[in-house]
Amino acid sequence: MIDLEIKNSKKQLTVAVAGNPNSGKSTLINAIAGTRLQVGNWSGVTVEKKEASFKHGNLNIRIVDLPGTYSLSPYSQEEVIARNYLINMKPDLIVNVVDATNLERNLYLTVQLLELGIPLLMALNIYDESEKKGYKINVRKIEEMLRIKVVPTIATQKSGLENLLLEIESFASKPKNEILPMLHYNNDLDNSIKNVVEEIKPAYEYLNENKLRWLAIKIIEGDELVLKEFGIKNRNELINQFCGHLIKGHDSDLESLIADARYGIATGLSHEVLEKPKIQKEEITEKIDRIVLNRYLGIPIFLLAMWLMFKLTFDIANPFVDLIDGITAGPMNRWFAFLLASINSPAWFISLVTDGIIAGVGFVLVFVPVIFAMMFFITFLEGSGYMARAAFVMDKAMHGIGLHGKSFIPLLLGFGCNVPSIYATRTLENEKDKILTSLIVPFMSCGARLPVYVIFSSAFFPGNGGFILWLLYVIGIGVAVVSGLIFKKTLFKGENSLFIMELPPYRMPTMKSLMIHTWEKGKHFLVKAGTYILAVSIFIWFLLNLPWGVENKKDSFLGIAGQVAAPVLEPIGFGNWEAASALITGVIAKEIVVGTMAEIYVDNLDEPEKEELSFGNDIKEIGIGFYDAVKSAGINISSTFSIATITAEEDSGLSTLKGVIQTKFTPLAAISFMIFVLLYMPCIITGVAYKQEFGTWKWYGISLINGFGAAWILSLIVYQGGLLLGFGG
Amino acid sequence: MNLSQLKPGSKSRILKIGSVGPLKRRLMDMGVLVGEEIIVEKIAPMGDPIEIKIKNYKLSLRKKEAAEIEVEECV
């Protein structure tokens, strides 16, 4: 009842927004919906879904952004999603965003949308650019020929959007037309369609004329998904009966015949309505491409761009990472400890809150700056059009190991942090490419592994630290290549991805689009990752502190787990419970391995001095910290353009740990241990990223097995091989 | 002659698309149809893929994919 009343007072209207990739669809939706946009995933798949509900006049408008597609044929996941939505969810209206600079190809999708028999409103977008090119588009004529409304828009300047909303309003106020005007192809084809319609009509009485015609076209086209959905088994008979002359007259299959017919309309229409200048001047895109895709300059420019992005991402983020780390580990920790102590909480509870919960929250928060910075740059690369060029330049090399040109960027980011790089795989269109890339990302040695390398190499190979580091990175890349090839031959056997990719014109993405995208991603991560990390962090705390009142770390659950796991590590050189326990805690993040070792090996190392609690000082500290972070982000950005070197800091407090490690490991075991840490498993936060991107824990599971297997085997070869060669001492 | 054999700058017309299945459908969706004119714009620095201009926009494809497209050069 209540529902009905709302419907009566305000009219509900669902609008699906469809269009080609690079048609400015996202910008248009961002401009209309702004912060009301809700970003999620289409159920069960990795494709992003955006929607927004808002009031306009006496309308409740719900806008659903369909994935950008060139067509509605079932070639890609995006196309299937867009199609299923349009067919099953029956939106009231389609807003078709059309790139005015690329009318013909965009109209091909328009024709397919019109076949569906859903009312359509066209937003003729990027109108400014098309005018700048000297194009004259006769908008009235498009309206006449397609019998739809057309609104010129410039989404980047918010121009024409009011008109678009007005048209949506006036559409809603008009009585619904049951049957929409239908497009006509050529006489031969139209006749065949008509005949098929007559034939199937009795069986599909519930479909109106538009839908029947659409179904007939799909039958002739041989669209398997639709045939299956409607239970049509007699396609061959229908074709033989009604389309024989089409096959004979046209020396090709019916699928391309329909595509030809659609393009026939698109081409014909664009010839009719579009007037191009006689001489087309060279465009800015061609000028840029002449340099960026140049035979000799292409690769250096690409590498430079990647280096810049990598540096900027981590240089901007790092000061904030340190700041957040400092706040959660310092003041926040102290405040909570103080607060809890003042209400007489037991010591174990204070420890749980500070060491378990706050430390866990800290772990999530430190990733936020990196995720934000990375999403910002990735969105910029995609929006500007350079991403497609990067893929074009790198494809040959990446294709050699079964990947796609676009795989390079996530892999590169992986050297900073694996988490954003799993998210970055979303720039890949093909599901298989996405998964394959994300499976080898964990072999890119991330920054969190550095503390382990630093401690071990400085303990055992002082003076050769640089070489050891280099060696570890190279081993990681090598293992990535090999395991990529293995995956390609096993899990993804026979699947061949295509590289048919548009190189869109260069465009400046709007700040608003960049911000919305970046913000959405960061927010999503915070919420999702927060929950999991918190759980794992608390779990590890319990492992360390159970059974109750445990004194010796060896008798804690973690110590016991370490003792159980130790024999597995025996053949690779470090079969002791201390190392095993440290490795287990590394599931949160690999740098913790060092922390746990310190805690276990050096019992009183980390006992912090009791500091006077002062809120005033803490607030001041945070304030100064923030100022410093902004300042050093600024300095980092400027130093990116001069000389900047990555330095691995070494905590002086850990020198005691170094001494202990020297007695517990042989140099050979140390190398084996470093290789093991490099490969053994992606951390839980990376796991959350897998879950978020692919909607299942399956790929994280495979990644864990793959990582552990590779780590163990390689460490075994190195350790046992080393022993045989007499490096055992 | 097929598309993968052409040099940058050369203009040709599509005679036949040899492949079947997803590749063919994708090519059709992108406007790569029989009778269409193609200009080969560039070859990637490592020799593959190639960039073509068709229907007044730029498209890239691997040589292996281009080899499925039979063309005749036009002047």
Side-chain angles (χ1 to χ4, degrees):
Chain A
M1 279 300 279
I2 299 167
D3 213 337
L4 251 171
E5 271 168 34
I6 292 173
K7 266 187 184 158
N8 285 339
S9 63
K10 290 233 183 230
K11 212 166 172 188
Q12 194 75 30
L13 196 75
T14 304
V15 179
V17 184
N20 276 197
N22 313 307
S23 62
K25 192 163 65 71
S26 283
T27 315
L28 185 124
I29 289 198
N30 287 339
I32 290 180
T35 48
R36 291 170 293 203
L37 262 192
Q38 304 239 310
V39 183
N41 273 9
W42 292 89
S43 64
V45 287
T46 62
V47 182
E48 202 167 71
K49 180 185 189 180
K50 286 192 261 180
E51 57 177 297
S53 294
F54 58 91
K55 292 189 175 68
H56 187 82
N58 62 348
L59 276 181
N60 271 330
I61 299 178
R62 181 161 158 257
I63 283 192
V64 178
D65 182 23
L66 300 179
T69 60
Y70 296 103
S71 157
L72 290 181
S73 62
Y75 162 72
S76 71
Q77 217 177 29
E78 280 83 359
E79 286 165 355
V80 174
I81 291 167
R83 219 170 86 148
N84 286 349
Y85 182 84
L86 290 171
I87 296 168
N88 300 329
M89 304 312 282
K90 303 191 179 71
D92 301 296
L93 178 69
I94 298 174
V95 168
N96 177 205
V97 183
V98 165
D99 177 357
T101 65
N102 197 343
L103 207 51
E104 190 179 344
R105 208 205 53 223
N106 276 255
L107 283 172
Y108 178 71
L109 178 67
T110 309
V111 171
Q112 294 189 53
L113 292 170
L114 286 170
E115 285 171 3
L116 291 167
I118 300 168
L120 186 139
L121 171 62
M122 184 188 289
L124 195 54
N125 199 28
I126 321 184
Y127 201 72
D128 52 337
E129 233 176 83
S130 113
E131 278 184 329
K132 223 179 275 166
K133 281 177 148 205
Y135 286 9
K136 287 203 184 83
I137 300 176
N138 189 337
V139 175
R140 294 287 150 264
K141 209 159 189 176
I142 306 179
E143 293 190 323
E144 268 170 40
M145 291 179 77
L146 295 180
R147 285 175 281 182
I148 55 169
K149 282 280 175 194
V150 178
V151 183
T153 56
I154 308 164
T156 48
Q157 298 166 20
K158 294 198 162 196
S159 154
L161 301 183
E162 267 311 306
N163 288 341
L164 194 68
L165 285 169
L166 279 178
E167 283 299 339
I168 292 176
E169 231 176 322
S170 84
F171 163 80
S173 64
K174 270 186 241 155
K176 267 196 180 174
N177 260 345
E178 278 307 312
I179 303 302
L180 297 165
M182 285 175 270
L183 289 176
H184 291 284
Y185 305 109
N186 52 61
N187 285 340
D188 272 357
L189 181 55
D190 280 337
N191 277 336
S192 293
I193 294 172
K194 216 156 100 195
N195 289 334
V196 174
V197 166
E198 290 307 318
E199 188 70 22
I200 60 174
K201 208 174 193 170
Y204 297 95
E205 270 177 331
Y206 58 94
L207 295 177
N208 68 21
E209 275 177 59
N210 292 116
K211 296 278 184 231
L212 278 172
R213 185 179 158 90
W214 170 78
L215 186 56
I217 294 170
K218 289 282 145 186
I219 290 173
I220 295 173
E221 196 181 16
D223 186 319
E224 271 159 36
L225 282 185
V226 174
L227 293 180
K228 217 165 123 193
E229 205 168 310
F230 284 83
I232 290 162
K233 297 201 177 71
N234 58 341
R235 176 179 182 250
N236 286 345
E237 291 161 35
L238 289 169
I239 298 298
N240 286 338
Q241 203 173 340
F242 303 112
C243 306
H245 60 293
L246 291 178
I247 300 174
K248 262 181 237 146
H250 195 281
D251 179 35
S252 65
D253 60 318
L254 292 171
E255 196 179 9
S256 55
L257 179 107
I258 299 267
D260 272 340
R262 287 180 183 136
Y263 257 113
I265 294 180
T267 311
L269 188 69
S270 87
H271 279 300
E272 285 281 323
V273 303
L274 173 65
E275 204 180 301
K276 283 184 197 169
K278 285 259 150 49
I279 304 155
Q280 293 190 35
K281 51 182 183 215
E282 188 181 35
E283 287 163 33
I284 182 91
T285 294
E286 314 216 320
K287 281 183 195 157
I288 298 175
D289 270 349
R290 201 128 36 88
I291 301 164
V292 164
L293 298 183
N294 178 283
R295 216 166 154 182
Y296 305 103
L297 294 176
I299 294 172
I301 288 175
F302 166 77
L303 293 175
L304 185 72
M306 289 303 105
W307 180 76
L308 269 180
M309 181 178 85
F310 184 85
K311 279 289 289 169
L312 285 174
T313 299
F314 290 101
D315 280 356
I316 290 174
N318 274 341
F320 293 99
V321 169
D322 292 344
L323 173 71
I324 291 168
D325 195 29
I327 292 174
T328 50
M332 221 168 119
N333 216 310
R334 285 200 293 275
W335 293 352
F336 272 92
F338 175 78
L339 208 71
L340 292 169
S342 69
I343 54 167
N344 290 324
S345 306
W348 69 265
F349 187 70
I350 296 176
S351 164
L352 170 65
V353 170
T354 54
D355 298 341
I357 296 174
I358 296 180
V361 171
F363 268 121
V364 177
L365 288 179
V366 295
F367 281 93
V368 172
V370 184
I371 304 264
F372 271 83
M374 191 273 315
M375 272 319 289
F376 184 86
F377 290 116
I378 293 274
T379 313
F380 178 81
L381 281 186
E382 276 204 279
S384 66
Y386 185 71
M387 187 69 93
R389 271 77 184 181
F392 182 73
V393 168
M394 282 312 287
D395 187 65
K396 175 106 191 249
M398 301 313 286
H399 190 51
I401 50 172
L403 299 172
H404 186 275
K406 281 187 186 170
S407 305
F408 189 85
I409 289 167
L411 291 178
L412 178 85
L413 280 168
F415 287 118
C417 175
N418 289 178
V419 177
S421 74
I422 301 292
Y423 289 118
T425 58
R426 88 171 21 207
T427 60
L428 289 148
E429 277 147 44
N430 185 301
E431 182 94 0
K432 173 221 140 191
D433 291 331
K434 251 183 243 185
I435 293 172
L436 189 54
T437 307
S438 72
L439 282 179
I440 66 170
V441 157
F443 296 128
M444 304 295 120
S445 186
C446 70
R449 288 166 232 191
L450 218 47
V452 181
Y453 306 156
V454 169
I455 283 276
F456 276 81
S457 57
S458 64
F460 292 97
F461 312 99
N464 288 320
F467 173 71
I468 299 280
L469 274 187
W470 176 83
L471 199 66
L472 287 164
Y473 280 89
V474 171
I475 289 173
I477 295 168
V479 172
V481 170
V482 172
S483 90
L485 288 173
I486 292 173
F487 278 129
K488 200 192 169 192
K489 295 250 154 67
T490 54
L491 277 178
F492 301 102
K493 202 176 166 190
E495 288 186 49
N496 227 336
S497 68
L498 303 177
F499 192 80
I500 317 271
M501 181 185 69
E502 183 186 1
L503 294 173
Y506 290 105
R507 281 179 188 133
M508 200 51 161
T510 59
M511 210 38 161
K512 186 170 181 180
S513 276
L514 288 178
M515 286 305 180
I516 289 180
H517 224 89
T518 308
W519 169 244
E520 280 302 330
K521 202 73 246 173
K523 195 177 77 183
H524 231 70
F525 168 78
L526 258 178
V527 177
K528 282 273 173 67
T531 344
Y532 291 114
I533 309 304
L534 207 57
V536 174
S537 177
I538 292 171
F539 181 67
I540 298 271
W541 183 88
F542 275 111
L543 280 185
L544 258 167
N545 290 282
L546 285 180
W548 279 126
V550 62
E551 286 283 322
N552 196 333
K553 292 277 189 303
K554 193 175 177 180
D555 301 324
S556 70
F557 282 175
L558 183 67
I560 296 168
Q563 290 171 51
V564 172
V568 180
L569 306 176
E570 188 64 48
I572 55 176
F574 38 93
N576 55 64
W577 71 269
E578 293 99 329
S581 303
L583 288 171
I584 292 171
T585 56
V587 70
I588 298 185
K590 289 192 176 174
E591 70 238 43
I592 300 191
V593 170
V594 174
T596 314
M597 281 192 146
E599 215 171 300
I600 294 175
Y601 282 138
V602 196
D603 246 350
N604 292 321
L605 176 85
D606 263 336
E607 205 57 54
E609 287 168 40
K610 286 269 180 279
E611 282 176 61
E612 278 291 305
L613 183 79
S614 157
F615 283 101
N617 275 345
D618 279 347
I619 300 281
K620 213 167 100 192
E621 198 181 294
I622 294 171
I624 293 171
F626 183 75
Y627 170 76
D628 282 345
V630 174
K631 206 173 81 183
S632 32
I635 293 171
N636 279 343
I637 295 171
S638 57
S639 74
T640 297
F641 298 96
S642 56
I643 306 159
T645 47
I646 300 171
T647 50
E649 286 169 34
E650 193 192 328
D651 196 332
S652 61
L654 291 173
S655 54
T656 336
L657 174 63
K658 238 161 56 178
V660 184
I661 289 175
Q662 279 166 343
T663 65
K664 299 276 178 181
F665 287 77
T666 65
L668 185 60
I671 291 181
S672 169
F673 187 77
M674 284 190 277
I675 292 175
F676 195 79
V677 168
L678 160 72
L679 305 171
Y680 82 111
M681 65 172 167
C683 67
I684 180 75
I685 310 181
T686 311
V688 173
Y690 274 109
K691 168 76 167 70
Q692 244 181 295
E693 278 304 302
F694 303 116
T696 155
W697 289 101
K698 178 182 167 192
W699 299 111
Y700 183 48
I702 289 179
S703 190
L704 285 175
I705 297 167
N706 183 40
F708 193 86
W712 197 82
I713 292 170
L714 209 64
S715 292
L716 184 79
I717 294 171
V718 168
Y719 187 70
Q720 296 295 341
L723 284 182
L724 280 179
L725 295 172
F727 294 119
Chain B
M1 185 174 2
N2 71 56
L3 184 60
S4 71
Q5 298 163 323
L6 295 183
K7 288 198 172 59
S10 56
K11 208 174 176 184
S12 60
R13 182 176 291 114
I14 300 178
L15 293 176
K16 199 180 161 200
I17 295 171
S19 75
V20 285
L23 174 58
K24 178 168 188 182
R25 197 178 302 138
R26 175 71 160 177
L27 286 171
M28 284 185 328
D29 286 342
M30 300 305 283
V32 183
L33 302 166
V34 171
E36 208 62 49
E37 269 185 19
I38 293 183
I39 300 172
V40 176
E41 294 264 322
K42 287 187 183 65
I43 295 174
M46 289 187 238
D48 198 16
I50 63 169
E51 178 194 343
I52 62 170
K53 194 169 185 177
I54 187 163
K55 285 195 185 291
N56 207 32
Y57 80 99
K58 294 174 201 307
L59 185 72
S60 74
L61 66 171
R62 291 188 183 130
K63 279 192 168 163
K64 207 176 115 206
E65 291 152 358
E68 303 283 336
I69 302 169
E70 221 172 280
V71 293
E72 59 171 1
E73 247 184 298
C74 42
V75 205

